[in-house]
Amino acid sequence: MKVVIQRVSSASVTIDEKVVAHIQKGLLVLVGIEDSDTQEDSNWLVGKIANLRIFGDENQVMNLSVKDINGDIIVVSQFTLHASTKKGNRPSYIKASKPEVAIPLYENFVKRLEIELGKKVQTGVFGADMKVLLLNDGPVTIQIDSKNRE
């Protein structure tokens, strides 16, 4: 699984001109799933995301997690994170999982985040055409690949 995590002052997801998710201070997490991803990949990422110390403490040092600040999270599925641009100029998405594989992992990922945070995690709608609006705070943007745990 690949994620792009953005620390935000606010974020929202709109589908067909209707806001389906909105948060203030917290994280916007874009998640891409491929066929080789497992529940273990998902669980590892959940722990990493919930405890990632990227919020400022009283000295404005990035020393607090989204859990520490009682922040919110929006999770948005994004198959384009698995784009391959090796050949030509049109990206290939061959590595991105089909819905029958990706949806159960995505749903479990969200549920595990809710358990870890102790509160509701907002989401977009899997496979929908979404408009994602965010105010990146910092800016802080971090990419994590569960297959490359450095």
Side-chain angles (χ1 to χ4, degrees):
M1 292 176 80
K2 291 182 180 180
V3 295
V4 173
I5 302 161
Q6 295 180 299
R7 186 179 77 182
V8 298
S9 297
S10 65
S12 65
V13 177
T14 302
I15 301 172
D16 295 328
E17 298 183 23
K18 181 179 181 232
V19 175
V20 297
H22 182 269
I23 64 169
Q24 292 301 312
K25 190 172 187 173
L27 301 174
L28 171 67
V29 179
L30 307 173
V31 59
I33 299 168
E34 65 181 14
D35 286 342
S36 65
D37 291 330
T38 66
Q39 196 56 58
E40 197 275 328
D41 290 296
S42 177
N43 294 346
W44 181 80
L45 280 170
V46 163
K48 197 57 112 163
I49 292 164
N51 296 293
L52 199 60
R53 296 178 358 191
I54 58 172
F55 291 90
D57 63 15
E58 65 278 356
N59 297 315
Q60 297 310 307
V61 174
M62 283 198 271
N63 210 19
L64 301 174
S65 70
V66 69
K67 282 171 52 173
D68 295 330
I69 66 156
N70 197 30
D72 293 312
I73 295 180
I74 294 180
V75 175
V76 175
S77 63
Q78 189 164 355
F79 73 93
T80 60
L81 293 179
H82 287 287
S84 172
T85 57
K86 186 175 181 180
K87 289 175 40 179
N89 293 317
R90 183 175 180 196
S92 168
Y93 304 106
I94 195 87
K95 283 189 169 186
S97 284
K98 302 291 184 261
E100 56 272 10
V101 172
I103 290 172
L105 266 176
Y106 172 79
E107 289 175 347
N108 192 269
F109 177 80
V110 171
K111 285 178 188 166
R112 302 265 322 174
L113 263 177
E114 289 177 337
I115 291 167
E116 186 75 26
L117 293 178
K119 65 166 138 181
K120 181 85 172 132
V121 168
Q122 296 195 44
T123 66
V125 174
F126 191 94
D129 181 23
M130 296 173 270
K131 306 302 180 213
V132 179
L133 182 65
L134 69 133
L135 183 56
N136 193 315
D137 180 19
V140 175
T141 301
I142 296 173
Q143 300 174 55
I144 303 176
D145 186 338
S146 66
K147 302 291 191 246
N148 186 16
R149 299 181 188 188
E150 297 180 340

